[in-house]
Structure formats: C-alpha cells, structure tokens
Amino acid sequence: MNGQDEVLQQLPLTETTFLILLSLSSGKKHGYWIMQDVERLSEGRISLGTGTLYGALGRLLDQGWIERVDEGQESGRPRKVYALSDLGRRILEAEAERLRSLLSAARLRLAEADV
Amino acid sequence: MSKYDIPGKEGSIAQAARAAVWAYAQVLKLYPRGFHTSFGTEMVDVFSLAAVDAARRGNGPLARLLLRELGDLPVNIILAHIHERRKRLMDWIGYDPRQDLASIRWIARALALLLAGLIFSLWLFNEDVRRAPTLPMLVLTALSVFMLAAWRWEKVGGSLTLLGSPLCLIAAMVMAGQVDQANLALAALVGLALTLVTGLVGWLFVSVARHSTVAAGPHVGREAPRRRRYLVYAAIVLVVLLLLALSLVAAPYQEIRMEGGGRPGTPMMVTVEAPAAR
C-alpha cells in the first residue's frame, strides 16, 4: 500500500475533525482559538464543547495528525498550542479534494436538472 | 482584579461565571488521570475564557454555554475512560499496530483463512450442517466472504466481520434447535467460540486499517515487544487447542442416529453410542 492509499483510507473525515484540521491549517493555535475558529468556519452550526474539543485533540495527537507545541508561559502556566503535522496536512488536502470533486459533481447534476 | 473578573459585571453574573469555572474544574477530576494530567489545566483555561466571554454578553449566553458543557462532558468523560482502558490493555499486552503492522495484518489474514476454511469444510463434509436451515448457513457463508474480502478491503471487510460475529452464536443455536436439539449446549459453545474468533479477526482487520496511515509515522522500525509476540503465539495455540477440544467433545455425538428422517420439526428418537460402547 503506498502513502497516498494510506491517506485515502482515512477518508472521509468527520465534520469536527475536518474543521479542527482546517482551523490549524493557517497556523498554530491554542484550544480556545480553535473553538472559536471552528464556530466561524462552520458559520455557527458547530459549537464545540471543551470535552469534545480536547477528546478530538487527544485522538489527533495519538494518530500523529497534529503536534502539541510548548509556547513559553502565560500567567505562570505553560502555554500549549497545536499545529498541523505533515501527515495531517496531507489528509486535510485529500479530504478537501474529495469534497471539491463531490461539490463539482453535485453542481453539474443540479445545473443539468435546472435546464 | 483576577484573570477571570469581568469589567462592568462585578455582580451576580461574574459570581456565576466564577462558580461555574470552579465546578467545571471539579468535574474534570472525573476524567482518567492521564487525560486530566495532559489536558486538565488547559481545559479549565479554555472554559474560563469561554465563560468570561459568555458572561460579558449576558445571562443567556452564559446559560447556553453551561448547558452545552453539561451535555458535552458526561459523554466525553465516559469515552475518555473507555479509550484510556483500551489503551492501557493494549499497552499491557504490547499490542501496537503502529510498530509491527505487517505481522498483525498477516495474523488476521491467517485466522480469516482458517475460519473461512473451517466454515466451508463444515458445509461441504458435514451432513447435519448441510441439512441445516438456510438462514444460519447464509450467515456463516456471508461471514466467511466478509473475512476473505477483508484481505483486500480491510476496513469494510473487518467492520462487517466484527459486526456480524455475534450472528455465529445465533446461527449455531438455530441450527441446533432445528437439526439436533440434543446438543444445544455444545452448539452454544461452538457458536460462542466462533463469535469470539470471528470478532477477533474483524477487530484485527479494522485495527490494522485504522493504523495503516500512522504506520508511516515515527513509530515504524522499533522492535516489537517480546511479550506481544508470545501472546500472539499463545493465541494461535489456544485457537488450535480449542478446535481440537471441540472435536473431542463432539466425537461421542458423531454416532447420533435420527429416526423419522431427521427433518426439522419431525419427532425423532435419538440414540447416542459413546465411543466406549462401540
């Protein structure tokens, strides 16, 4: 099985996973920022609870799709941020490509139906 | 002024937010210790920021946030415990598909072939099984096909095998109920053994499929723990011994003679000739 097949085998992603990875695609973020970004990206449809967010982040860390980075201290506490790994980026790109092809097929068929 | 104080909201809302943060921190202690150590502080920080933000917007948003967390936490705490226990068990037996994906894949394939072969040979050579009702035979045949399909399509074949494995027990009981009612207990034992082994095969395939991407990660190349290898050998020996034991237990019943044609629903007289009496 080659690398691309292995990436494709992880698809489709759940909406939450996709949105978390998408949120991290623009750079490192801490938990609260991811939560707000996911809400923005989903146009308010998905509002993650902290339990769901950290459950998903834990799984993504285990799978090696994201990385946890120490960013010094804030109010005496270590500040952790999350970043997309190379593997996570490849999976996100493959999922975006899958959704794009689905969308173009749907648009084509609906346009035909309208004619 | 503390980190979580809300300018202009020093009254009851700020107090409610502070109380919510305190309660939230207490509830987080219900998470497994490993998860709590890794994420507990961060979760409290994130919740505090969310609570302060919501409190700034008023009572409604704060109540909505609390309700959301109230619905969200119990499910996630249970899921975290299940995940943690599963991980601990896998660590204890040294099972980590990321370390030795190929050998686990081949164990799953070998067990799938063994089981599919067993089911097909029963179907071909055992008269009682051939006389069995159609539905159980369809179930067993379908499971064999799923296991063989998992050779190529691990995720789909493995999931179908895993989900269908409890049907082995039902199939064996239905078969015994309609073909040979004298052996219900034996049928239950055989059905249970088949359920466990097919379930194991399905789970191994799903597990390999789930981890095949991660195999490209940093874990590849590490030597597999010796304990895990011994456990795999022990499991294979156990399956073989189980099959042998079942065939020995079943031996006295080979001589069952059914009068009345042995058709389902037909009254029949059963005589058992134990091996010693022959």
Side-chain angles (χ1 to χ4, degrees):
Chain A
M1 203 183 291
N2 64 36
Q4 190 57 24
D5 277 352
E6 288 166 0
V7 167
L8 291 177
Q9 214 174 36
Q10 305 301 317
L11 309 184
L13 303 181
T14 64
E15 198 169 5
T16 306
T17 304
F18 179 73
L19 288 171
I20 291 174
L21 294 181
L22 189 62
S23 167
L24 293 175
S25 65
S26 58
K28 294 182 277 189
K29 288 186 180 70
H30 59 75
Y32 189 51
W33 197 354
I34 298 173
M35 237 161 118
Q36 288 182 313
D37 208 23
V38 164
E39 198 164 347
R40 237 188 333 264
L41 286 168
S42 66
E43 295 172 341
R45 271 186 313 106
I46 294 178
S47 175
L48 293 179
T50 43
T52 304
L53 174 69
Y54 279 91
L57 289 177
R59 273 195 305 279
L60 294 174
L61 280 169
D62 277 352
Q63 290 172 305
W65 296 8
I66 61 171
E67 285 153 6
R68 203 177 191 196
V69 186
D70 230 330
E71 269 213 340
Q73 303 250 324
E74 190 192 62
S75 312
R77 287 171 167 183
R79 184 185 151 95
K80 310 272 188 195
V81 292
Y82 297 88
L84 205 56
S85 69
D86 286 344
L87 176 62
R89 187 168 291 279
R90 279 196 289 144
I91 288 169
L92 176 66
E93 281 166 2
E95 177 70 349
E97 181 55 32
R98 190 186 71 83
L99 292 174
R100 192 198 59 75
S101 94
L102 270 180
L103 185 65
S104 60
R107 279 195 176 139
L108 197 68
R109 184 52 60 90
L110 289 173
E112 281 171 11
D114 284 343
V115 173
Chain B
M1 194 164 135
S2 88
K3 182 181 168 184
Y4 306 124
D5 281 345
I6 306 159
K9 300 262 184 189
E10 276 78 26
S12 58
I13 296 181
Q15 272 178 358
R18 268 196 295 274
V21 172
W22 179 84
Y24 183 82
Q26 303 310 307
V27 173
L28 285 191
K29 289 178 184 163
L30 296 174
Y31 268 102
R33 191 175 296 171
F35 189 95
H36 188 259
T37 310
S38 296
F39 299 112
T41 315
E42 251 184 280
M43 285 174 83
V44 173
D45 281 348
V46 168
F47 179 77
S48 308
L49 289 170
V52 169
D53 261 4
R56 276 198 190 111
R57 282 180 277 130
N59 273 333
L62 182 61
R64 269 199 298 280
L65 173 80
L66 295 180
L67 278 177
R68 186 188 71 191
E69 293 295 337
L70 211 62
D72 186 60
L73 273 181
V75 177
N76 282 294
I77 288 172
I78 293 168
L79 288 177
H81 274 283
I82 293 171
H83 183 71
E84 187 81 5
R85 267 161 224 280
R86 197 179 140 269
K87 206 165 138 188
R88 214 182 299 160
L89 178 71
M90 296 300 121
D91 285 349
W92 182 78
I93 61 172
Y95 176 82
D96 186 355
R98 291 174 295 188
Q99 291 185 3
D100 200 3
L101 202 65
S103 70
I104 292 168
R105 177 175 280 139
W106 281 101
I107 288 166
R109 288 176 173 187
L111 280 176
L113 267 185
L114 186 77
L115 272 175
L118 184 77
I119 291 170
F120 281 126
S121 64
L122 273 177
W123 192 78
L124 282 175
F125 301 116
N126 190 308
E127 204 180 316
D128 282 350
V129 172
R130 271 211 306 278
R131 232 184 7 240
T134 321
L135 191 66
M137 284 319 296
L138 270 179
V139 166
L140 291 179
T141 311
L143 274 174
S144 312
V145 172
F146 295 157
M147 280 189 282
L148 295 178
W151 191 284
R152 172 66 187 85
W153 300 283
E154 283 166 345
K155 200 187 242 177
V156 176
S159 305
L160 289 172
T161 308
L162 184 59
L163 291 173
S165 60
L167 294 176
C168 286
L169 181 59
I170 299 167
M173 297 300 283
V174 170
M175 239 187 250
Q178 297 204 8
V179 174
D180 186 3
Q181 293 186 351
N183 295 321
L184 274 178
L186 180 68
L189 196 66
V190 173
L192 196 65
L194 272 177
T195 296
L196 290 176
V197 183
T198 43
L200 174 72
V201 170
W203 176 72
L204 281 175
F205 274 122
V206 172
S207 174
V208 165
R210 273 186 57 223
H211 288 92
S212 55
T213 299
V214 186
H219 304 278
V220 172
R222 270 198 262 151
E223 200 194 341
R226 191 175 291 173
R227 197 186 334 166
R228 196 202 62 220
R229 267 183 284 158
Y230 289 151
L231 273 165
V232 169
Y233 297 149
I236 291 172
V237 170
L238 201 70
V239 169
V240 173
L241 284 178
L242 189 68
L243 291 173
L244 275 175
L246 283 175
S247 62
L248 284 176
V249 171
Y253 300 101
Q254 294 293 315
E255 300 300 323
I256 288 176
R257 300 275 180 269
M258 283 187 278
E259 292 176 12
R263 291 177 190 283
T266 314
M268 60 185 183
M269 199 172 79
V270 177
T271 36
V272 176
E273 293 172 22
R278 265 182 274 166

